[in-house]
Amino acid sequence: MLPGSGPDTPVVTAMRARELGRKSVVVGDRVGLVGDTSGAPGALARIVRIAERTSVLRRTADDDETTAEGRLERVVVANADQLVIVSALADPPPRTGFIDRCLVAAYDAGIEPLLCLTKADLAGPEAVLGYYTELELPYVLIRPDSDLAALRALLAGRVSVLVGHSGVGKSTLVNRLVPEAERAVGTVSAIGRGRHTSTSAVALRLPVEPGAGGDTGWIVDTPGVRSFGLAHVSAESLLHGFPDLVEATVDCPANCPHTADEAECALDAWVAAGKADARRLASYRRLLASRSGEGDPREPERNPGDPLAGS
């Protein structure tokens, strides 16, 4: 859309100019155009400039930066203000390990997180919210017949990117927010795994609600993912996704690796004193271990022993 455009402004079709070379244009980029920007049928403009990005949300296929998958960064979206982590409360069950990963990626990118818990008609949110009680993480509950006014208010005036496993109801939610989107909706298999429906990221302007005014905001729907690799996040920055543990590290020795085999790490005493959930510490250390190739990288969203993880 062009600056100052509204919901009824025609969409401009543009292609990347050759002079940009190998520089990629991703969803959310703000670009400079030349040529026919009328949006008329058959009109084509050229992208000649990509503005400096205010934020970049990235992920990798693997956690270990020594692997080819870990070195390959994928830009999910540029210039997002908010990361909406969509998780079902049942069918499939919530994966707190995956949510933890998304929080790390959000904080690393300087994007505010919002937890969107779907299928609230099938299960209560108490267990999930209890796990994140120390974070004061903003959240919304979504039922099939629920009013989306609270969610729309949190999306208004912002660029929000939605991420989540397949089958959690993300595409259904997008279709409710933007009825003309017609995003493909899948089902959950008998073993509790969602089927991939959305195949590409797409930015959608939220429609104006009757009686409402102002900037409705944009949402970026992304394909369902099974993992959120964090090889691009430094070991030190991983801790930013666990603000409930940060204060404890003040008492750690210099250059403490914060691993379970570090006898003088203050994190264990912090948890033992009831100042943080032991599952949160286990999740953080699992992420640390996965960076060095330990653990099972194929299922990094599970927290072993966590009843919320369905394991």
Side-chain angles (χ1 to χ4, degrees):
M1 290 291 187
L2 299 174
S5 61
D8 298 326
T9 303
V11 175
V12 175
T13 301
M15 62 180 295
R16 186 181 62 178
R18 184 174 300 175
E19 51 263 39
L20 286 177
R22 300 171 65 107
K23 194 170 184 179
S24 297
V25 182
V26 301
V27 174
D29 268 330
R30 298 180 175 93
V31 301
L33 301 176
V34 298
D36 191 341
T37 59
S38 66
L44 182 64
R46 288 192 305 140
I47 299 172
V48 296
R49 181 178 58 85
I50 302 173
E52 183 178 354
R53 294 165 176 168
T54 58
S55 68
V56 180
L57 179 67
R58 299 180 174 92
R59 77 179 184 93
T60 55
D62 192 4
D63 288 328
D64 189 354
E65 61 183 3
T66 65
T67 67
E69 292 82 1
R71 288 192 299 271
L72 181 60
E73 291 185 14
R74 294 176 174 85
V75 176
V76 180
V77 65
N79 300 312
D81 307 305
Q82 184 169 238
L83 177 62
V84 182
I85 307 166
V86 184
S87 174
L89 288 169
D91 192 31
R95 301 285 191 239
T96 55
F98 177 79
I99 297 173
D100 287 346
R101 289 170 167 273
C102 292
L103 289 174
V104 169
Y107 292 132
D108 182 68
I111 301 172
E112 295 183 18
L114 171 65
L115 185 57
C116 181
L117 299 173
T118 62
K119 306 186 183 182
D121 56 316
L122 300 180
E126 294 78 14
V128 177
L129 298 181
Y131 178 79
Y132 292 106
T133 187
E134 298 297 328
L135 273 64
E136 298 182 356
L137 185 64
Y139 70 92
V140 289
L141 299 178
I142 304 295
R143 298 175 176 83
D145 58 348
S146 62
D147 185 351
L148 299 182
L151 177 58
R152 290 184 186 277
L154 292 168
L155 299 176
R158 317 185 82 177
V159 176
S160 303
V161 53
L162 280 64
V163 298
H165 286 308
S166 295
V168 299
K170 183 166 58 64
S171 294
T172 298
L173 180 62
V174 170
N175 288 335
R176 291 186 63 193
L177 289 168
V178 189
E180 64 270 24
E182 298 182 347
R183 299 295 273 175
V185 176
T187 58
V188 178
S189 67
I191 58 175
R193 294 180 179 175
R195 298 174 183 174
H196 292 274
T197 49
S198 304
T199 58
S200 60
V202 60
L204 302 165
R205 183 191 286 274
L206 291 166
V208 177
E209 292 292 293
D215 183 3
T216 56
W218 291 76
I219 57 173
V220 179
D221 185 24
T222 62
V225 295
R226 292 182 179 175
S227 65
F228 209 107
L230 299 172
H232 62 286
V233 180
S234 68
E236 181 179 351
S237 294
L238 282 178
L239 193 60
H240 295 166
F242 297 82
D244 45 333
L245 302 177
V246 171
E247 188 177 344
T249 61
V250 174
D251 296 324
C252 286
N255 301 316
C256 179
H258 306 310
T259 54
D261 56 2
E262 175 52 58
E264 297 184 26
C265 180
L267 290 174
D268 296 282
W270 184 261
V271 168
K275 297 180 178 179
D277 193 316
R279 295 171 299 175
R280 292 279 292 160
L281 177 56
S283 180
Y284 170 58
R285 285 177 168 164
R286 178 172 170 81
L287 290 181
L288 285 175
S290 67
R291 290 186 58 81
S292 58
E294 301 175 20
D296 186 356
R298 294 170 300 177
E299 205 164 21
E301 73 277 6
R302 289 179 179 266
N303 280 336
D306 183 354
L308 295 177
S311 57

